[in-house]
Amino acid sequence: MALGCDLEPQFNEPYLATSLQDFWGRRWNLMVPAILRQAVYVPVRRITERKMKSEQAKFLGVLATFLVSGVVHELIFFYFTREPPTGEVTLFFILHGVCTAAEVAAKRTSLLNRWNMSMMVSRLLTVGFVVVTGGWLFFPPLLRSGMIERLSNEVFLSIDFIKQNLF
């Protein structure tokens, strides 16, 4: 607003996601899927479609996309924590990649077309899966490193600095 330009929203109510595909593709960190789709998914799918069936190529494209995201997150965590990567964050993204690809494949079967799940149950399962797996694999490296405490201390120091110098 201060610069007089509009920023694209980064999130689209992720707590309303009804599937992992919906969560990762249309609701969470909206800029990243647009970049990874063109940089990883499309090239991997094009290359692998020459050697295998389209469905297998889609699966590998999704898996490669989540693998790249996991490795990039490991690098970001390394910069934040200065601790060697443990692989937990990459495992989080690989798990979500496999589950998202399986979900997409399952949606194409006739069995799931006949089975209707309520929107509320679907949302609870999706968000619950993200929260549980995040608590299991995504956040522990940050917690172990003490980065959360350091961040909160810096926030409080910044608030104190502003209070002392502006008021």
Side-chain angles (χ1 to χ4, degrees):
M1 237 196 248
L3 298 174
C5 61
D6 292 330
L7 296 175
E8 289 187 35
Q10 290 304 300
F11 303 95
N12 179 18
E13 302 176 305
Y15 51 87
L16 296 178
T18 56
S19 67
L20 288 174
Q21 184 182 19
D22 183 32
F23 180 85
W24 291 114
R26 292 183 284 278
R27 295 190 178 272
W28 188 260
N29 205 352
L30 300 176
M31 187 184 310
V32 172
I35 293 167
L36 290 177
R37 189 174 295 114
Q38 296 304 314
V40 181
Y41 176 76
V42 171
V44 168
R45 188 172 163 194
R46 281 188 188 144
I47 291 167
T48 55
E49 276 182 330
R50 297 177 195 154
K51 302 283 184 187
M52 57 185 61
K53 295 178 183 175
S54 178
E55 293 302 314
Q56 294 168 328
K58 286 178 187 176
F59 180 83
L60 285 176
V62 169
L63 196 57
T65 302
F66 277 89
L67 174 64
V68 167
S69 185
V71 170
V72 168
H73 277 82
E74 291 278 2
L75 182 61
I76 292 168
F77 278 34
F78 172 71
Y79 286 137
F80 283 157
T81 66
R82 295 294 183 210
E83 298 205 2
T86 61
E88 290 166 290
V89 178
T90 300
L91 184 58
F92 169 83
F93 282 98
I94 290 172
L95 175 63
H96 278 254
V98 169
C99 291
T100 301
E103 174 188 285
V104 170
K107 285 179 182 177
R108 294 202 169 117
T109 66
S110 60
L111 176 65
L112 284 184
N113 288 336
R114 289 179 274 159
W115 185 40
N116 272 335
M117 185 183 302
S118 80
M119 204 71 97
M120 186 56 70
V121 171
S122 181
R123 285 182 179 141
L124 286 171
L125 289 173
T126 301
V127 174
F129 181 77
V130 173
V131 168
V132 168
T133 57
W136 171 42
L137 294 167
F138 190 83
F139 291 108
L142 294 175
L143 295 171
R144 279 193 306 269
S145 72
M147 203 264 326
I148 304 292
E149 293 89 80
R150 289 193 311 269
L151 178 63
S152 62
N153 288 340
E154 289 206 25
V155 168
F156 291 131
L157 287 171
S158 298
I159 291 170
D160 288 343
F161 177 80
I162 291 169
K163 282 181 183 177
Q164 291 173 359
N165 293 306
L166 296 179
F167 298 110

